[in-house]
Amino acid sequence: MICVNAQGCGSSLISRALPRLVTAIFVTIASVGTFAGGIWGVAGIGGAIILFLATWVIDKRWPKPDTSLALLAIATSVFMMINSLYSIDPALSWFDWERLVGVFIPFILLSSPAIVAHANSRPLFPALAIAAFVGAAALGLELDLGGALLHLVKGAKAALTEYNRGMSYIVMLAFPVMAWLWISGRRRFILPFILVLLIPASLTESRSAKLALIVGLSITLMASFWPLLIRWGLMALTVLFCGWPFAARAFFLAHHGWLTHIPPSWHERVEIWDYMSYRIMEKPFFGWGIGVSKRLDFINPHGALYIFARGPEPHPHNVMTQLWVEMGLPGLALGLAFAALTLGKTGRMDRSLVPFALGAWAAAYCISLVAYNFWSDSLFAAFALVGLAFSLLQDKNTKARS
């Protein structure tokens, strides 16, 4: 057949290529991304931009993102810009603001229903499930061998902790995989998949990933019986966890001797949360500035008692603490709004997907509470790509009923 309309043929070609690109993105993060967490950022940001432009070409109009998410992202970006003006390190805060605006925009684009409609394909989730099986098994083998591949590539001194981020993200991605196995009639594969996932989870040095997997699976099970109660319970806990740094301070002061009985990484976190609680109270309303956690005083008032926190830490290892210490009460309010918005969206999914979506949400929140810098590109990519996976599953269910 000869194409007489170049523009129409171009749109048709892009329309066929777009689902394959989405499949390639998910297969990549589920396999290679299990070993290299940074790939999630590249795949997420680059993929979001390409999907947006491709959908624009196909539909001949720009794809509108989810209104509520877009408004929240705009409000957050505006406040971050204002926050940068009175930061204790304006240059650092301004740099982080510019970087985060660039991160927010592509990920908000992935919420567009038009992109979801064009991105779906029949091979996507079978390929993703296979990639996740293989990726988890391969990482388990690598960890069991003591990081043979890691040492071959990066040298004998490379630490197994380099796999922590990828392991954490694959835990989140496991929940849409399990959801697809459930709704597609392949439920007998869920338990083997969990058992395979438990191999790297048991061997990883990331206690955050272990905890996130246990919490996520527990929430999924409970939400199968009481979805509404679990959703409201998660929101109530999110509000309660605003007091996390002050609870850590109370624990540090009342049970300091107990800290010797917990792993050093967690001991260090308690010390971080202790001094961060004092920095919060010094500037509770508007915070110290985006990204300046690493500049804050760690000595007063208990620095002499610290064993592991011997200098300013790069970030607070807790999303609620980071939002409050850097952005003050408005930052905390924006974080709670994001939690409420995303939890509310899980309630509008098909009932068969809700338990898995709540499990993924709980796992993601768990990781945010105890692990990484909340402003990490790859962490936002993981949130966005897992959210996209559930949107694609919801789209499949909707089309199957029509």
Side-chain angles (χ1 to χ4, degrees), residues 261-281:
H261 301 294
I262 64 176
S265 60
W266 290 86
H267 186 160
E268 183 178 15
R269 281 167 169 78
V270 175
E271 293 175 350
I272 295 169
W273 299 328
D274 173 66
Y275 81 77
M276 286 291 177
S277 70
Y278 290 96
R279 305 295 83 81
I280 287 173
M281 293 313 299

Side-chain angles (χ1 to χ4, degrees), residues 45-67:
I45 296 174
I49 294 172
I50 293 172
L51 292 178
F52 172 79
L53 295 175
T55 303
W56 194 346
V57 171
I58 294 169
D59 292 343
K60 298 180 178 59
R61 62 178 182 273
W62 70 281
K64 295 181 180 179
D66 178 90
T67 302

Side-chain angles (χ1 to χ4, degrees), residues 81-203:
M81 180 179 64
I82 298 171
N83 173 274
S84 300
L85 299 177
Y86 57 81
S87 167
I88 60 168
D89 190 339
L92 175 60
S93 294
W94 191 259
F95 173 80
D96 271 1
W97 176 79
E98 291 178 326
R99 180 178 60 83
L100 286 168
V101 168
V103 171
F104 287 164
I105 292 174
F107 295 152
I108 293 302
L109 298 179
L110 289 179
S111 67
S112 169
I115 290 178
V116 172
H118 289 296
N120 234 331
S121 66
R122 184 175 296 178
L124 170 58
F125 282 97
L128 172 58
I130 293 171
F133 267 99
V134 173
L139 181 58
L141 178 61
E142 167 71 356
L143 292 172
D144 186 55
L145 293 175
L149 179 62
L150 177 67
H151 295 153
L152 179 65
V153 174
K154 295 192 173 183
K157 293 184 178 180
L160 289 177
T161 53
E162 295 202 22
Y163 290 137
N164 287 1
R165 193 174 288 270
M167 181 67 217
S168 298
Y169 298 163
I170 198 65
V171 165
M172 289 189 273
L173 190 62
F175 290 91
V177 171
M178 288 187 284
W180 175 75
L181 292 172
W182 181 268
I183 65 175
S184 66
R186 297 172 174 84
R187 299 177 183 181
R188 64 186 182 278
F189 293 112
I190 293 179
L191 181 57
F193 177 57
I194 293 174
L195 293 175
V196 169
L197 197 61
L198 285 173
I199 297 172
S202 64
L203 296 172

Side-chain angles (χ1 to χ4, degrees), residues 37-42 107 165 169 375-383:
I39 286 178
W40 287 69
V42 176
F107 295 152
R165 193 174 288 270
Y169 298 163
W375 307 131
S376 298
D377 299 355
S378 60
L379 183 63
F380 272 90
F383 294 160

Side-chain angles (χ1 to χ4, degrees), residues 9-25:
C9 289
S11 297
S12 177
L13 180 62
I14 293 172
S15 182
R16 292 195 300 271
L18 195 147
R20 297 173 186 175
L21 172 63
V22 173
T23 301
I25 289 172

